Amino acid sequence: MILLKTCSVLLTILFFYAAKRLNKKRPSLLFSPAVLAPAAMIVFLLVAGVPYVEYSQATSWISEMMGVVTVAFAVPLYRNWAILMAHRRMILLSLATGSLIAILAGVSTAMLVGLGQSAAISVIPRSITLPIALSVSEAIGGMPAMTAVFGMLTSFAGVFLAPWVIKRMKLRHPVSIGLMYGMGAHMLGMVKAFERGDTEGSSATLAVIAGAMITVVWAFTLMPLIMSWFAI
């Protein structure tokens, strides 16, 4: 067990470091460490025949460190709090509207393509950070595993499309750009927003936090309406 833990941790760090080096040479979403490192780890686990549960237990302390990293994002948020509060009405309205559209679009698309009721419910919290999304999915009767898949796809799509949207919509204000990244691609978008600037990253952080709370309210408020739609 000790050997498994050591190898799992070392390989995870090695794959991430190699992905970072490759991403510097080929800076694109497909060569992002968020894509390459998990893909390499999945291939290794399949070839080595190591169950994911064992790997997850062996590297649990890495996951626990995410809590420390998440708290660290509060520092730039505090530093730019005055700027964000100056635009509080626009921020709240934008996040509420974006959250509502994301839920309605997700449920409608899932039903139109015939994914079924379970998938439609599971897609409701896809636009919020995964730890909260999984809990919301379970609470409203969805499938957390499917929610995780929808959430990751949303995050990758948001980061991939963000530069195109910024260019086409001619977005210039750092708060608007940050809100788009945070609401459209949650944690991964938040990281990309910080690459653009401190204000963008802080706005994205606020979008992830406030957007999650707003989505939870929308999810439980709209569930009776959505369930009646399924019954038609």
Side-chain angles (χ1 to χ4, degrees):
M1 186 62 183
I2 296 177
L3 180 61
L4 175 61
K5 284 187 176 183
T6 304
C7 291
S8 298
V9 171
L10 289 177
L11 282 174
T12 301
I13 296 174
L14 177 64
F15 285 149
F16 181 79
Y17 178 74
K20 288 274 290 185
R21 293 289 299 271
L22 182 59
N23 187 238
K24 287 183 178 180
K25 296 180 180 179
R26 306 195 65 174
S28 68
L29 180 62
L30 291 178
F31 291 94
S32 168
V35 176
L36 290 181
M41 205 66 231
I42 290 172
V43 172
F44 169 76
L45 293 178
L46 290 174
V47 172
V50 177
Y52 173 75
V53 175
E54 294 184 9
Y55 166 77
S56 179
Q57 293 175 348
T59 57
S60 59
W61 68 271
I62 297 179
S63 301
E64 292 171 359
M65 288 180 64
M66 288 297 293
V68 179
V69 175
T70 303
V71 172
F73 282 120
V75 176
L77 181 62
Y78 172 78
R79 196 162 51 231
N80 293 281
W81 189 250
I83 299 175
L84 298 176
M85 286 300 96
H87 301 87
R88 59 185 179 276
R89 292 182 180 177
M90 180 270 288
I91 291 174
L92 289 175
L93 180 60
S94 299
L95 294 178
T97 304
S99 176
L100 178 60
I101 292 175
I103 292 175
L104 296 179
V107 173
S108 300
T109 303
M111 294 302 293
L112 287 174
V113 299
L115 294 181
Q117 179 175 328
S118 296
I121 295 176
S122 301
V123 83
I124 290 175
R126 67 184 172 85
S127 291
I128 57 180
T129 184
L130 281 182
I132 301 176
L134 299 182
S135 298
V136 174
S137 177
E138 186 175 5
I140 62 178
M143 294 183 290
M146 187 170 288
T147 299
V149 173
F150 286 132
M152 291 302 296
L153 290 175
T154 299
S155 184
F156 287 133
V159 171
F160 180 76
L161 294 173
W164 180 83
V165 173
I166 292 172
K167 183 178 180 179
R168 290 297 298 269
M169 300 298 292
K170 298 181 179 179
L171 296 179
R172 296 291 183 270
H173 201 291
V175 174
S176 299
I177 294 174
L179 291 176
M180 183 196 67
Y181 267 111
M183 194 67 215
H186 25 94
M187 292 298 290
L188 187 56
M190 190 168 69
V191 173
K192 299 299 291 185
F194 271 110
E195 293 179 1
R196 297 183 65 95
D198 202 40
T199 305
E200 288 89 337
S202 300
S203 302
T205 303
L206 181 61
V208 171
I209 298 170
M213 292 188 292
I214 291 172
T215 299
V216 170
V217 174
W218 276 129
F220 286 97
T221 301
L222 294 174
M223 274 307 295
L225 177 62
I226 294 173
M227 294 305 294
S228 64
W229 182 21
F230 292 147
I232 298 177

